[in-house]
Amino acid sequence: MTAAFVFPGQGSQAVGMGKALAEAFAPARAVFDEVDAALGEKLTATMWDGPADKLTLTENAQPALMAVSVAVMRVLEAEAGVDIKRDAKFVAGHSLGEYSALAAAGAFSITDAAKLLRIRGSAMQKAVPVGTGAMAALLGLELEAASAVAAEAAQGEVCQAANDNGGGQVVVSGNKSAVERAVEIAKAKGAKRAMMLQVSAPFHCALMQPAADAMAEALGKTNIKVPAVPVVANVLAQPISDPKEIVKRLVEQVTGTVRWRECAAYMAGQGVTTFYELGAGKVLTGLLKRIADGATGTPIGTPDDVAAFKAKRS
């Protein structure tokens, strides 16, 4: 087993995502119907018809992205005979994608994943008043240098590395004034580019503690099983399978750094040579090329992608 299934995070959403899958495949329709039922609303209407700003709302984007990812997984199982336990060494996801990975591997039901991500998205949005927090991308600095920039910029406020995406791309998160300082310090310290991001809240930093508390409560009431294959946890960059540890790490992930570079490097170091990105977009596929030398990344999110995957396997 030299493959891993990986699942995208927020920012990969686009109006229309998953629609062609639903039209082409009954297993995909079943996933979208289950998500709509779990949330008591037609999230699929927003996913397929927009408006884009409604889909981008964190409380909608998170369950929507999970729905597309798990729909792809179910289609691959039905159409291409994929068995995650047999065909994948690991699963992993970027931020909310960790929930998609766990749902795909059977650790929780689609209904529970949708409800958890609705709570997570809503709690992350409410944790910090709009305009108080911010995030910025620092390009051309590795994690250690970016963390030093964040520490210098904090000046008594919150500023920390939120995402270590690999290829010299680190995102910092925290109080808006501190993040603005980080952009200027990063430029002075040789970053190729440093820019504020259009986000609705400062994710993956200490300001998200109220959301972490909400997730601890919600996850504590959720039935979590041992996943079919280990999930490489964002906050550890190590594989975990124990349900109690899964809860602990998902709670930590709300305020902790998404160590994506290390997650991908760990999987590559364990012999993974093929990464399949299941769901919307191909952000992770692009990042993987910069992290894991010689590994191939293949995004699967449309009926054509499914057909190409099947053709390769036959």
Side-chain angles (χ1 to χ4, degrees):
M1 283 191 302
T2 56
F5 293 146
V6 297
F7 299 84
Q10 214 162 321
S12 290
Q13 69 276 358
V15 172
M17 65 180 189
K19 190 173 185 181
L21 279 175
E23 288 168 350
F25 303 112
R29 288 196 294 279
V31 171
F32 294 128
D33 287 347
E34 187 172 340
V35 170
D36 282 349
L39 299 178
E41 66 173 86
K42 281 270 186 195
L43 180 62
T44 46
T46 304
M47 289 164 61
W48 297 340
D49 305 318
D53 57 352
K54 188 177 177 188
L55 177 60
T56 304
L57 287 174
T58 305
E59 63 189 41
N60 291 332
Q62 295 199 14
L65 284 161
M66 180 279 299
V68 178
S69 285
V70 178
V72 173
M73 187 75 236
R74 296 290 175 261
V75 169
L76 292 180
E77 288 166 352
E79 293 289 317
V82 167
D83 175 332
I84 198 168
K85 190 165 190 172
R86 181 192 68 215
D87 296 329
K89 191 164 190 172
F90 303 106
V91 293
H94 191 288
S95 190
L96 85 90
E98 194 156 284
Y99 288 77
S100 308
L102 286 160
F108 25 68
S109 67
I110 293 166
T111 293
D112 283 342
K115 288 178 175 175
L116 286 167
L117 286 170
R118 170 55 57 85
I119 292 165
R120 184 178 184 268
S122 180
M124 288 172 99
Q125 195 62 66
K126 289 179 190 153
V128 181
V130 173
T132 308
M135 298 179 79
L138 312 183
L139 307 181
L141 295 181
E142 293 299 338
L143 179 62
E144 198 173 321
S147 297
V149 166
E152 187 180 329
Q155 295 178 20
E157 293 183 306
V158 171
C159 188
Q160 65 191 78
N163 302 351
D164 177 16
N165 289 329
Q169 185 192 115
V170 180
V171 176
V172 295
S173 181
N175 292 101
K176 189 170 181 223
S177 48
V179 173
E180 286 169 344
R181 286 192 293 272
V183 166
E184 295 313 311
I185 293 167
K187 286 176 183 169
K189 295 213 168 178
K192 284 182 196 157
R193 285 176 73 197
M195 58 211 178
M196 303 296 284
L197 297 177
Q198 292 294 315
V199 293
S200 54
F203 304 125
H204 299 293
C205 77
L207 297 175
M208 287 285 120
Q209 189 57 48
D213 296 341
M215 290 319 295
E217 185 183 344
L219 285 159
K221 298 174 185 166
T222 305
N223 178 30
I224 299 177
K225 301 185 181 120
V226 175
V229 292
V231 60
V232 179
N234 281 186
V235 295
L236 292 179
Q238 293 284 327
I240 59 173
S241 293
D242 177 65
K244 284 199 178 94
E245 181 156 34
I246 288 168
V247 170
K248 184 181 180 198
R249 303 310 179 186
L250 287 175
V251 172
E252 285 176 3
Q253 191 226 62
V254 179
T255 56
T257 305
V258 175
R259 295 166 59 184
W260 187 252
R261 174 182 58 84
E262 293 172 86
C263 289
Y266 173 82
M267 291 185 278
Q270 294 295 310
V272 172
T273 54
T274 307
F275 292 88
Y276 294 107
E277 179 177 4
L278 272 48
K282 48 187 175 187
V283 170
L284 299 183
T285 301
L287 293 175
L288 285 161
K289 285 175 185 157
R290 302 206 294 255
I291 301 167
D293 275 352
T296 59
T298 304
I300 307 176
T302 66
D304 285 349
D305 295 340
V306 172
F309 176 85
K310 276 174 75 173
K312 250 187 176 169
R313 278 171 70 89
S314 60

